[in-house]
Amino acid sequence: MAGALRVVLGDQLSPSLSALEDLDPARDVVLLMEVEGECTYARHHPQKIALVLSAMRHFSRALAARGVRVDHVRLEDPANTHGFSGEVARAIARHRPARLVCTHPGEWRVLEEMRGWEAALGLPVEIREDGRFLASLAFFRRWAGAKTQLRMEFFYREMRRATGYLMEGGAPVGGAWNFDAENRKPLPRGLVPPPAPRFPPDEITREVLDMVARRFGGHFGALEGFNWPVTGQQARAALAAFIAERLPRFGDFQDAMAEGEATLFHSLLSTSLNLGLLLPREACDAAEAAWRAGRAPLNAVEGFIRQILGWREYVRGLYWLKMPRYRALNALEAHRALPEFYWTGESGMRCVDSVVRQTRDLAYAHHIQRLMVTGNFALLAGIHPDAVNDWYLSVYADAFEWVELPNTHGMAIHADGGIMASKPYAASGAYIARMSDHCARCRFDVKRSAGEGACPFNFLYWDFIARHAERFAANPRMAMPLATLRKMDPAKLAAMRAEARAFLDRHAPLPPG
Ligand code: FAD
Ligand code: DLZ
């Protein structure tokens, strides 16, 4: 062929992908590779595997319909080497291209592999920037500069200025950058969130679901509830339904948790965004248009845009700025094992069990469930970061390391020592009681901190504060809990710490030695 072999990975399913720019349909071939290595480097939730493979097959079909020559290697191909490098080498032998064109991948380990291709395969390899994000990596690096603290809020303001979202005359609309304080209401009794739209599996998805059940049925997670958009068209339908039906209340109940209400007013758009079925700009444009048309209030629209323009871009910038050392950080010296109940949902703590079971059934939990229930528990208990990261990377349909790692390592368990968050997101049971209805029916009593029936989040919280009191002594944002700790009856503290120790030794033992 002597044209270019253009590589498209499973989370690069955007027609505007940089690797597809300047494509010559007469001479070039687009390569998509289904490989077992990508399904098992973390034991991904079966819904995630099915989502990626089905979306890849739909993307290939759409490219081929446009007259593009597509070489799509299927998982069942008996000659499949089940790794990217092996499949690229086989494709080179099939097509004899003059060069390889790729887009910067989303994970460090894949970039390392790609960087070795030119030498290993003996042809020019171009790795283009991933232009689907709103901030380039160079923009983030410039913003980060020599700053010692990389706070999202300040990055977000730069992004508002750079993109013009929710800006008027150089100032933020509504007179404030952030309406976070208006985003913390619990769900009132009787308010029923609208159901998310349905995307019944078509023939391609059904075939993939069968294959995934056969090959990866042993992974944690159920396939039955699969309902993810697998094409750009479905992703845009999901966005339209969110904007019309859930965005107006997204802001008010962003932090709420309610039993039996897995999705509340959230968008469920992370899988579509992370696979490239939907571009962040499309989501932000639609939200801003809804506000300008008076169809959604500012606290909702600003809150939603902040998640995408702010958090999502920020964690990606941070990941690429700090990797590979970032992943090895363990600032709080956490060494305990991940409790078995992260897989079974049988801890007896209603909040934890409902998040784990929902995660098993849907491959989804919303942000506060991930941060303040399973994340908070792992932080308080001192679970080793590798075990926590591996869990988060395995169990969510939207998990890719560039977005999973900073959220877990930095935001949830403070393993980065404060690069991302100025204080750990540690909370006792009182927070969960305020933001959810779990505690009312829990076998533990959220008002008790020690003794029979005490809520584990309470004694683990005070054990955590006491364990790290010295480390956080100079942190003004930790002054309040530390002052309370100092005033606490020493006998009460000792009782809570003994209970924490016994609980952790039972559920999250330290490694021998
Ligand atoms: P919404 O609440 O509707 O938010 C809208 C969009 O904003 C999301 O679709 C997402 O693209 C973006 N967004 C919101 N919060 C964040 C954030 N903190 N970081 C990056 N993007 C954000 N998100 C992932 O996409 N993949 C992950 O693997 C992932 N792991 C996480 C692990 C932990 C411990 C925590 C605390 C958060 C994690 N998040 C992750 C962020 C967030 O929880 C999910 O993006 C969100 O829950 C997805 O649901 P949604 O689409 O309904 O989001
Ligand atoms: C997550 C995933 C899975 C399960 N399978 C594949 C695959 O078979 N082929 C592929 O190209 N990509 C897959 N992916 C997504 C990759 O893991 C992702 O592209 C890299 O982690 C870089 O972000």
Side-chain angles (χ1 to χ4, degrees):
M1 74 182 224
L5 183 64
R6 296 172 183 269
V7 175
V8 175
L9 302 180
D11 55 355
Q12 298 184 336
L13 307 179
S14 316
S16 62
L17 189 76
S18 56
L20 299 177
E21 281 165 17
D22 63 24
L23 177 138
D24 178 353
R27 301 172 69 215
D28 296 351
V29 170
V30 175
L31 175 68
L32 285 98
M33 308 162 272
E34 299 178 9
V35 293
E36 190 154 323
E38 292 304 302
C39 305
T40 53
Y41 75 92
R43 282 172 64 84
H44 299 299
H45 195 296
Q47 287 197 32
K48 177 183 175 187
I49 301 175
L51 165 66
V52 174
L53 298 185
S54 173
M56 286 173 72
R57 290 183 185 191
H58 282 92
F59 189 73
S60 285
R61 191 176 66 170
L63 282 182
R66 279 175 33 205
V68 175
R69 289 168 64 199
V70 180
D71 183 353
H72 186 122
V73 181
R74 290 168 72 111
L75 208 65
E76 312 94 314
D77 179 344
N80 194 323
T81 58
H82 291 299
F84 287 146
S85 298
E87 285 317 294
V88 169
R90 285 205 314 131
I92 289 172
R94 278 196 297 278
H95 304 293
R96 307 243 163 251
R99 62 198 179 101
L100 217 60
V101 181
C102 313
T103 291
H104 192 290
E107 299 194 350
W108 177 266
R109 72 186 166 88
V110 182
L111 181 64
E112 287 280 88
E113 190 174 343
M114 246 181 207
R115 280 178 174 155
W117 285 349
E118 187 154 310
L121 302 168
L123 81 179
V125 178
E126 189 187 348
I127 304 177
R128 294 180 175 172
E129 176 159 6
D130 189 344
R132 298 172 301 162
F133 289 86
L134 291 158
S136 67
L137 296 179
F139 178 94
F140 188 87
R141 218 171 286 121
R142 264 196 314 279
W143 170 77
K147 290 183 183 70
T148 47
Q149 295 199 319
L150 300 177
R151 296 292 165 251
M152 195 292 291
E153 180 61 27
F154 298 109
F155 170 75
Y156 169 56
R157 291 179 193 181
E158 284 303 305
M159 290 299 289
R160 291 272 294 275
R161 289 192 190 95
T163 59
Y165 280 120
L166 299 179
M167 297 291 287
E168 257 159 26
V173 299
W177 292 103
N178 185 317
F179 295 86
D180 204 18
E182 294 173 35
N183 296 353
R184 295 178 190 150
K185 294 185 188 151
L187 191 73
R189 213 177 280 243
L191 177 58
V192 181
R198 305 295 307 167
F199 299 102
D202 64 3
E203 204 180 315
I204 292 179
T205 303
R206 282 199 302 275
E207 190 187 348
V208 169
L209 287 169
D210 286 346
M211 179 182 67
V212 170
R214 273 195 315 277
R215 294 177 80 122
F216 308 105
H219 291 198
F220 168 85
L223 265 178
E224 292 73 39
F226 185 94
N227 188 41
W228 298 106
V230 291
T231 63
Q233 195 183 15
Q234 289 184 339
R236 285 187 291 279
L239 171 65
F242 166 70
I243 297 285
E245 295 159 17
R246 281 165 288 147
L247 176 65
R249 294 186 129 146
F250 172 85
D252 288 350
F253 305 113
Q254 202 175 331
D255 288 2
M257 294 179 278
E259 295 217 353
E261 293 293 349
T263 55
L264 293 161
F265 295 94
H266 291 273
S267 70
L268 305 178
L269 291 173
S270 53
T271 57
S272 299
L273 289 164
N274 295 352
L275 261 57
L277 304 178
L278 187 70
L279 296 179
R281 183 168 290 287
E282 294 176 87
C284 293
D285 285 352
E288 175 160 4
W291 173 69
R292 293 204 181 270
R295 286 184 271 112
L298 187 55
N299 77 317
V301 171
E302 187 282 319
F304 180 70
I305 288 182
R306 180 172 4 109
Q307 305 313 311
I308 294 178
L309 179 67
W311 281 111
R312 188 169 185 273
E313 298 289 330
Y314 166 82
V315 298
R316 175 179 182 252
L318 192 79
Y319 176 82
W320 288 107
L321 187 71
K322 297 290 178 188
M323 278 295 279
R325 278 188 304 172
Y326 193 73
R327 196 176 34 204
L329 299 174
N330 187 1
L332 298 185
E333 295 173 60
H335 294 289
R336 288 188 176 273
L338 189 79
E340 186 58 18
F341 55 68
Y342 273 70
W343 303 109
T344 62
E346 288 172 4
S347 71
M349 291 174 275
R350 231 173 140 112
C351 53
V352 172
D353 293 348
S354 83
V355 175
V356 170
R357 289 174 193 180
Q358 172 193 319
T359 298
R360 177 194 63 203
D361 295 343
L362 304 178
Y364 176 83
H366 68 69
H367 186 68
I368 290 299
Q369 294 178 303
R370 297 187 206 197
L371 181 65
M372 298 311 293
V373 179
T374 41
N376 183 28
F377 184 91
L379 167 75
L380 301 181
I383 310 300
H384 194 286
D386 288 349
V388 186
N389 282 317
D390 187 57
W391 188 80
Y392 278 100
L393 196 56
S394 303
V395 303
Y396 291 113
D398 60 17
F400 293 90
E401 196 182 67
W402 66 266
V403 51
E404 174 277 327
L405 187 72
N407 271 297
T408 303
H409 217 62
M411 197 186 306
I413 59 172
H414 211 73
D416 69 359
I419 292 174
M420 188 164 167
S422 56
K423 79 177 196 46
Y425 280 87
S428 68
Y431 175 89
I432 295 169
R434 192 164 61 249
M435 295 311 300
S436 81
D437 56 0
H438 295 307
C439 303
R441 281 174 284 171
C442 186
R443 73 170 227 237
F444 296 106
D445 183 350
V446 72
K447 296 222 166 64
R448 294 183 65 110
S449 298
E452 187 62 28
C455 170
F457 277 92
N458 292 339
F459 52 75
L460 290 175
Y461 175 77
W462 287 111
D463 181 58
F464 172 85
I465 299 291
R467 208 160 70 234
H468 297 294
E470 214 171 296
R471 159 180 289 277
F472 294 123
N475 184 334
R477 299 199 63 203
M478 294 298 282
M480 242 165 52
L482 288 173
T484 311
L485 182 80
R486 278 193 298 276
K487 282 186 254 153
M488 200 176 272
D489 171 8
K492 184 179 171 191
L493 179 61
M496 285 195 290
R497 296 204 67 185
E499 195 139 349
R501 181 69 189 248
F503 181 92
L504 291 176
D505 286 348
R506 196 161 62 247
H507 293 290
L510 282 165

